[in-house]
Amino acid sequence: MIKQIIGTTAVIATWVVPSIAMAQVSAIKLSHTIQLQPDSERLHPPVVSQVEIHPTGKLMAVAGDDHFVRIMEVATGRVIVTLKEHTDWVRAAQFSPNGKLLATAGNDRQVLLWDVQENIQLRSGSEFPSVITAVDFNHDGTQLAVVGFGESVVVYDANTGKKVHQWKTAGNDLRAVAFSPDGKLVAAAGRTGVIRVWDAVSGTQVKDIRAHNERIHGLAFSDDGAQIISGSEDRKLTVHNVNTGQELASMPTGDAKVFSVSLVQPRVIATGGSDNEVHLWSLDTYEEIDRLTGHDGTVSTLAAQGQTMVSSGFDTTIRVWDLGNSRQNPPPVLTVPVSRFSN
């Protein structure tokens, strides 16, 4: 798959957004903001469904409603390659833990697996029963869990593309799926507000956790796998014990419906939602510890790698945050070349 690269230009505006310290004081600063540009066939930049950072921390995959997946440099915003093989809205993208594979999926019901180094599409899974909303690799990248608007959770062998498991949930319209850190459990959730958990090896259903009263959009396990965290349209972030299903905390998110949940540090959860802000929560005190402003649209996706976190969503910008321990003066505005693959 060889294509000619042509150049365009994108502007990266950079400034620091003051954080609002809550129970604790964190030292998060905005590194830079990347304004996505529309494709030549569109009038508007893409709404971003998913941003995922490569395990090296240097690249990120950006998926959106323009049917494309952009592989971009985190530090500069330069587009390395644009993957254009999807035929509809791309809602999900994730790198395997070893960084060798990228899985992408969305409204066209296809799971595409890519060789990251060669930008080659390796295989397409058989057509999924519904629009796909979320995917997740297990701890060693050998399996990929997939969910969508239907009631099915499917686990594929990432090497062969063959189906390993297929389960049904308590209802349809699933929006989140997650493997536990050790790969032994799979959790999925959506419209019903119930988190259903399975044994990833045997395929046995382990338990149902009634976590919310409305649709769940985000799931994350704690770093030790002992807790599962969920965010919902009911404007709550909940934490449950994985083994017992017991609720450990229920944290109100104010006016924000929660659309994204991400473990950004070992004991810190980040959420994004309809209030256009990123909130950070301690898994030790179950309190909000920081609030990051600047987006002017719903924050629908969050990801973190090392000392870097990215946020994006409806406002068509990507904000890159430094999770380090020092604040610096705002760097200058940068203009960088952006490349994309021609058709």
Side-chain angles (χ1 to χ4, degrees), residues 39 163 167-168 179 182 186 239 244 261-262 301 308 334 336:
D39 183 70
K163 190 182 300 182
W167 305 305
K168 287 188 177 181
F179 275 99
D182 60 9
V186 178
V239 184
T244 66
V261 175
S262 180
T301 179
T308 300
L334 304 175
V336 299

Side-chain angles (χ1 to χ4, degrees), residues 39-285:
D39 183 70
S40 58
E41 298 179 357
R42 288 169 54 98
L43 297 176
H44 306 289
V47 169
V48 178
S49 311
Q50 184 95 47
V51 173
E52 284 295 327
I53 305 177
H54 189 268
T56 62
K58 296 180 179 180
L59 300 177
M60 58 183 169
V62 181
D65 69 342
D66 60 357
H67 311 175
F68 300 155
V69 180
R70 294 167 174 82
I71 308 301
M72 306 175 68
E73 290 180 344
V74 174
T76 67
R78 186 171 70 91
V79 177
I80 305 300
V81 60
T82 300
L83 308 176
K84 297 186 176 183
E85 275 62 28
H86 281 287
T87 59
D88 208 330
W89 190 337
V90 186
R91 295 179 179 268
Q94 191 177 67
F95 291 104
S96 60
N98 63 12
K100 294 181 179 180
L101 296 177
L102 171 68
T104 61
N107 283 21
D108 62 6
R109 305 185 180 190
Q110 293 293 312
V111 180
L112 303 185
L113 287 176
W114 304 86
D115 181 303
V116 172
Q117 185 174 359
E118 300 296 337
N119 302 321
I120 295 173
Q121 180 186 328
L122 299 176
R123 68 185 69 89
S124 172
S126 58
E127 185 169 301
F128 197 71
S130 67
V131 166
I132 298 168
T133 56
V135 300
D136 193 42
F137 278 103
N138 67 347
H139 65 298
D140 60 6
T142 58
Q143 294 185 347
L144 182 73
V146 181
V147 299
F149 285 170
E151 60 181 4
S152 294
V153 180
V154 179
V155 178
Y156 293 100
D157 184 306
N159 295 314
T160 66
K162 293 183 178 180
K163 190 182 300 182
V164 179
H165 297 294
Q166 181 167 355
W167 305 305
K168 287 188 177 181
T169 57
N172 60 6
D173 191 8
L174 301 174
R175 300 302 178 100
V177 65
F179 275 99
S180 60
D182 60 9
K184 294 181 179 179
L185 299 175
V186 178
R191 181 187 296 276
T192 64
V194 174
I195 303 170
R196 181 162 287 183
V197 183
W198 295 267
D199 184 303
V201 178
S202 68
T204 304
Q205 181 180 324
V206 176
K207 64 173 58 68
D208 281 350
I209 300 172
R210 167 58 71 176
H212 297 274
N213 296 321
E214 296 185 37
R215 182 186 288 109
I216 294 172
H217 283 273
L219 285 177
F221 282 89
S222 58
D223 61 320
D224 59 4
Q227 301 170 336
I228 189 164
I229 304 96
S230 56
S232 167
E233 291 181 12
D234 66 4
R235 297 174 173 85
K236 292 180 181 178
L237 183 71
T238 67
V239 184
H240 287 80
N241 181 288
V242 173
N243 291 327
T244 66
Q246 177 187 3
E247 181 180 287
L248 302 176
S250 178
M251 296 165 277
T253 57
D255 294 332
K257 295 181 179 181
V258 180
F259 284 90
S260 50
V261 175
S262 180
L263 184 71
V264 297
Q265 290 181 337
R267 302 299 296 169
V268 177
I269 283 285
T271 62
S274 59
D275 62 353
N276 308 344
E277 297 179 349
V278 178
H279 300 254
L280 289 104
W281 311 83
S282 169
L283 289 181
D284 294 318
T285 64

Side-chain angles (χ1 to χ4, degrees), residues 295-315:
H295 282 288
D296 59 12
T298 294
V299 180
S300 60
T301 179
L302 295 162
Q305 191 69 239
Q307 294 300 307
T308 300
M309 178 177 71
V310 293
S311 58
S312 192
F314 292 8
D315 68 358

